[in-house]
Amino acid sequence: MITCFIEYRIDPFKHSQFEKYAKNWGKIIPECGGDLLGYFMPHEGTNDVAYGLISFPDLASYETYRERLRTDEPGKRNFLFANKEQFIAAEKRSFLRVVDATYKQGARVAK
């Protein structure tokens, strides 16, 4: 499994627009083949950085997802919304793999 870790630089005065954008992906990403782990908004501290995490079985699955996303009508509308409103100044993508012995260890602790 790989996780696409997206770091966004966002306009701190347009949090509501970014949140709408993120919520829209909540339906679009799974329909296009991604396992959406979540979008994360600034809460305290730095107010211009947000994150999105989407997992895939492998890079080939990610490429298939990207192709679906390019032709998906709701996906196209969400990209147009972001371009029109200009709340994203920059985005970076990193592809990560989990260290199996560490994944969700807190969930396994007996209470």
Side-chain angles (χ1 to χ4, degrees), residues 18-42:
F18 183 83
E19 188 164 359
K20 178 180 176 184
Y21 172 80
K23 286 179 179 179
N24 290 342
W25 288 129
K27 183 174 182 190
I28 298 165
I29 289 171
E31 288 179 354
C32 289
D35 179 14
L36 179 61
L37 302 178
Y39 272 82
F40 300 84
M41 298 280 301

Side-chain angles (χ1 to χ4, degrees), residues 55-74:
S55 288
F56 303 91
D58 50 42
L59 278 174
S61 299
Y62 170 76
E63 292 301 328
T64 300
Y65 155 82
R66 292 292 293 170
E67 283 302 313
R68 286 185 190 145
L69 204 56
R70 285 185 190 100
T71 60
D72 182 74
E73 288 303 319

Side-chain angles (χ1 to χ4, degrees), residues 98-110:
V98 69
V99 176
D100 289 332
T102 67
Y103 188 63
K104 293 189 175 185
Q105 286 299 307
R108 296 182 187 149
V109 175

